[in-house]
Amino acid sequence: MEFKEIYNIEKTLKLQIEELEALEILSKKISHITGNNKVKEDTNIKISEIKNIINNAAIELLDKKNRAMIYINGLEDVRVREILYYRFFKQLTWEETAKKMNYSESHVKKIYSNFKDDIK
């Protein structure tokens, strides 16, 4: 299971959504200033293309998260399940994950490292 990939896709997706929102605001300003319908249509087409890219990435992310959740739920070690959930679903840092679990950061990393070694 590639948890890092889930983490990276979600991070990228959030950035893309932020950029889309900024572009939509910019598009409205340009349309208002120019009053040119052709510019408005062209901008809307480009924004639709970006939305499609984001939608496809979101579908891919949901599919991977679903498979990961099934995998995580099958793990015996509750600590590993918590770590995977906090790190790759909640996108918490190692420090934040450790705080949630009432462990030291180094202990959480050790548990995760042992888990990774065990699945190789």
Side-chain angles (χ1 to χ4, degrees), residues 13 16-17 20 49-59:
L13 196 53
Q16 289 173 334
I17 290 168
L20 175 62
E49 291 171 0
I50 293 169
K51 284 180 180 179
N52 284 336
I53 291 168
I54 291 171
N55 285 337
N56 290 338
I59 290 167

Side-chain angles (χ1 to χ4, degrees), residues 6-24 50 53-54 57-58 61 91:
I6 291 170
Y7 181 87
N8 290 334
I9 292 171
E10 187 155 7
K11 202 171 173 182
T12 301
L13 196 53
K14 286 178 181 179
L15 291 172
Q16 289 173 334
I17 290 168
E18 286 175 17
E19 183 60 24
L20 175 62
E21 290 168 349
L23 288 172
E24 286 176 327
I50 293 169
I53 291 168
I54 291 171
L61 177 64
Q91 294 195 326

Side-chain angles (χ1 to χ4, degrees), residues 70-114:
I70 291 167
Y71 176 79
I72 290 170
N73 287 340
L75 296 173
E76 286 185 36
D77 192 333
V78 173
R79 299 169 310 160
V80 172
R81 288 197 309 252
E82 280 185 88
I83 291 167
L84 294 174
Y85 176 75
Y86 287 136
R87 288 287 294 149
F88 301 106
F89 286 87
K90 291 296 190 179
Q91 294 195 326
L92 299 184
T93 64
W94 287 111
E95 182 180 0
E96 292 167 331
T97 299
K99 263 187 175 175
K100 289 262 190 198
M101 296 178 69
N102 294 316
Y103 291 137
S104 69
E105 184 176 338
S106 62
H107 187 65
V108 169
K109 286 181 176 179
K110 178 91 171 135
I111 293 168
Y112 179 69
S113 178
N114 289 342

Side-chain angles (χ1 to χ4, degrees), residues 30-73:
I30 291 170
S31 295
H32 179 71
I33 291 169
T34 65
N36 185 334
N37 282 339
K38 176 72 172 127
V39 171
K40 186 177 182 177
E41 289 172 18
D42 290 346
T43 305
N44 286 338
I45 290 169
K46 294 298 179 190
I47 287 174
S48 285
E49 291 171 0
I50 293 169
K51 284 180 180 179
N52 284 336
I53 291 168
I54 291 171
N55 285 337
N56 290 338
I59 290 167
E60 177 187 5
L61 177 64
L62 290 172
D63 184 51
K64 288 180 183 300
K65 278 188 165 189
N66 184 47
R67 287 194 310 263
M69 191 65 80
I70 291 167
Y71 176 79
I72 290 170
N73 287 340

